[in-house]
Amino acid sequence: MTLRPPRRLHRRGTDRRPRLALTVTTLFFLLLYLPIGVVVLFSFNGQKSLTVFKGFSLRWYSAFFHDNVLIESLGMSLRVSLVAMAGSVVLGVALALGLVRCRTRLGSLAGLIMLVPLITPEIVTGVAAMLLFKGMDITLSSGTVMLAEITFSISYVTVILRSRIAALNPEVEEAAMDLGATRWQALRLVTLPALLPSILASAVLIFALVFDDFVLAYFTTGVDPQPLSVRIYSAIRFGVQPTINAVGTLMLAGSIGLIGLALAIPRLFGRRGGLDLLSGK
């Protein structure tokens, strides 16, 4: 007697693929990335047309690298990003250490205040920074952009590092002090090396965020030179040129590379699972 395998019971609708969810997801990604894909495609267009693709060419990338105004703006964006990265990382590490070590009501209140810039609309922060500089009779320049970007970026560094510092075993630092190290030596030789992967990852993220930032840069920059994002906005008011497509493609590639590097840094230091950008663990 041959035993037949049991018939598989199907409940109506159980094994059906969620077609509606797949359709909505597909439409979402199309709406999100199709315009970006068009910009990337037409950055390689052989002709000046922005609607008809007439063959592959690198002429607009060459035009960008021969445009002194755009190159000057690129240099300013790089300088602002580097200064904002260094300043926000130094202050963010100090603030994160203070918030973790200071377990008082005042420390908890400071932790809540630290989160305010993350939920405040960036345009509000930009207008407030501009009014502050004008009220203090400070001329808008690259220096004001750097100050505004540092102020805005400190919270991101603190959020990333705060959980990582809380996960460190304080007994290791205490053991170093028992062996004769001062508090500063224990911090420099024990705590900071343990935080190095998260510090580097947050630094790379801040560089990418500041380099692409437009709102703060628009409200706090001077007349000339302007950051690259502001220069692009000024240029497209008179019509989109193919060179702008090439600049946008280069900025997109750079941002993706920096974010990938930020996620890979903890793995390079032997940490499994990479970096959770929300918790910093």
Side-chain angles (χ1 to χ4, degrees), residues 95-261:
L95 180 58
L97 286 169
L99 290 176
V100 174
R101 303 290 170 79
C102 183
R103 300 183 181 279
T104 62
R105 291 184 178 179
L106 183 61
S108 301
L109 178 62
L112 292 176
I113 295 175
M114 181 271 300
L115 296 175
V116 171
L118 299 178
I119 59 176
T120 303
E122 193 175 358
I123 190 170
V124 176
T125 306
V127 172
M130 180 189 65
L131 294 176
L132 176 64
F133 292 134
K134 287 186 175 296
M136 298 176 67
D137 200 20
I138 299 176
T139 304
L140 298 181
S141 63
S142 59
T144 54
V145 182
M146 293 172 185
L147 288 175
E149 296 288 359
I150 289 173
T151 305
F152 183 71
S153 303
I154 289 174
S155 298
Y156 289 94
V157 179
T158 306
V159 168
I160 293 175
L161 292 179
R162 193 175 176 183
S163 299
R164 180 59 183 158
I165 295 173
L168 294 179
N169 188 356
E171 294 179 355
V172 178
E173 191 173 323
E174 294 172 0
M177 289 189 287
D178 290 341
L179 294 174
T182 62
R183 183 173 294 277
W184 167 248
Q185 288 175 329
L187 175 66
R188 181 170 59 88
L189 300 175
V190 177
T191 305
L192 290 182
L195 296 176
L196 186 59
S198 297
I199 292 174
L200 292 177
S202 60
V204 174
L205 278 177
I206 295 303
F207 184 90
L209 288 174
V210 174
F211 187 83
D212 291 342
D213 181 67
F214 166 74
V215 178
L216 270 182
Y218 179 77
F219 284 104
T220 57
T221 189
V223 177
D224 215 21
Q226 295 178 321
L228 189 57
S229 57
V230 180
R231 180 67 65 187
I232 291 174
Y233 174 74
S234 302
I236 62 176
R237 287 188 299 177
F238 304 100
V240 179
Q241 299 296 321
T243 308
I244 301 301
N245 290 336
V247 178
T249 302
L250 291 174
M251 292 178 67
L252 175 66
S255 299
I256 293 175
L258 289 174
I259 292 174
L261 178 61

Side-chain angles (χ1 to χ4, degrees), residues 13-32:
T14 301
D15 293 337
R16 288 191 305 179
R17 303 179 68 180
R19 295 180 180 177
L20 178 60
L22 290 174
T23 303
V24 172
T25 303
T26 303
L27 288 175
F28 167 75
F29 282 110
L30 281 176
L31 291 173
L32 187 62

